[in-house]
Amino acid sequence: MTVRIGVIGVGMIGQDHIRRLSKVLAGGRVVAVADTDAARAREVAGGLGSARAHATGQEVIADPDVDAVLVCSWGPSHEDYVVAAIRAGKPVFCEKPLATTEAACLNIIEAEVAAGRRLVQVGFMRRYDDSYRAMKRTIDSGEIGAPLMMSSGHRNPSVPGHYTSDMAIVDTAVHDIDIARWLFDDEIAETLVIKPRQNSRGGELHDPLMMILRMRGGALVNVETSVNIDYGYDIRGEIVGETGTVTMAESNTVIVKSRGSFGGRVPEDWRERFMRAYDVELQEWLDACAAGEVRGPSSWDGYAATVATDAGLVALKSGGWATVTLRDKPTIYG
Ligand code: ISE
C-alpha cells in the first residue's frame, strides 16, 4: 500500500521531508501540499508532478486522496491542523512542538481521547538516532545499573537574528527534554535554569544556558544549550549509572591523522547531524500508517515536553526551581 500524504507547511523542514518521502523512503507519495505562501506551495506541488496545491491546510486534511497528514507549519498553527486530522480519522505526523501552549496540547489530547485511539506522532527525531537508540539499549539492558545523572550538550554554531533566549528552551532544549524522558522512562518533576557567563558572540542572548531537570525518580539531567559556539553543530550525551557510564561517541565517520595531528568532521547543522534519524523516523511512520498503527512519540510526549518548557521559562525568569505538573495520563497512551 502506498500512503498518500498531504503536507502542511513547505518551508525548510517541510521541503526536506517531501524530499525524503519522494526520493529516499519507500511506501509514501506526497499528493497535496499547502502553505501560507501560496506561490511556494504551487512551486513545490509542481515539482512533484501530480500533487495538488491547496489554499489551506484544512483543505489538505479534507482531501479524499490524502490518507495521512504531515504538519510542518509554524508552531502556533499546529493545534488546529492536528485536531482537524484527528477528527478526520487521518494519521498525523506533527513536527515539534506538538503545540506551543499547554492548553493547545490538552485540546489535542482530548481530541484523541474522544476518537478513542492515538493518531498523532510527534517529530522528536532523536529517538530514531542510532547513537541515542544505542544509549537506550544500554540503559534498558541494566549493564550500567540504574541511570543516576546525564549530561546533555546541545550546541549550535549560530542562530538566526530572530532567535531569543526563550527559544533556547522551547525550540532547542525541548529535544533534550524529550530524550531525557525517553532514555530514563520517567517524567520530569522540576527544573532549574542557570545563566553562566554569556558568550560575547551572542549579543544580548542568555547563551549558553544550563537547564537542570530533576526526574521524578531522582535522576538529574544537565542540559547545556550553546547556540553561538561557532565550531559546528555538536550533540553530546553521557549517562552515569550505578556501575558504569554510556557516552555518545563522536558523530564523524572517520578520524584523519596527518602531520602530527588528528581530527574529524563536526556537522554543520541539525539537518546533517540527524539526516538519518529523520529518514528512520518518517520511514517508521509510513510503515505504521500502512499497517494501520500509530507508534513513536505521542501527543502525551508532546504535551509533557511543552509543560516542561513552560516550567523552564518560569525558571529562567525566576532563577529558582519550577515544578512540572502533568494531568493524569489517558489510557490510550499506555
Ligand atoms: C531547531 O529548531 C531544531 O529543532 C533543531 O533540531 C535544534 O538542534 C535547534 O537548536 C533548533 O533551533
Side-chain angles (χ1 to χ4, degrees), residues 210-226:
M210 182 181 291
M211 186 178 189
I212 313 290
L213 311 174
R214 190 191 309 277
M215 310 307 288
R216 286 183 181 174
L220 286 182
V221 178
N222 170 25
V223 178
E224 167 221 330
T225 56
S226 298

Side-chain angles (χ1 to χ4, degrees), residues 13 95-97 123 125-126 154-156 158-160 163 167-168 170-176 225-227 233 235 269-271 274 278:
I13 191 70
E95 263 302 335
K96 55 71 106 170
M125 82 302 192
R126 288 188 179 188
H154 192 156
R155 299 173 185 163
N156 284 279
S158 64
V159 286
Y163 190 96
M167 289 173 70
V170 301
D171 201 49
T172 298
V174 67
H175 287 290
D176 306 84
T225 56
S226 298
V227 297
Y233 183 85
I235 300 300
D269 60 21
W270 45 271
R271 280 162 300 188
F274 288 111
Y278 281 117

Side-chain angles (χ1 to χ4, degrees), residues 310-327:
D310 283 351
L313 295 179
V314 169
L316 175 64
K317 292 173 177 57
S318 72
W321 286 93
T323 303
V324 178
T325 305
L326 301 176
R327 58 157 285 178

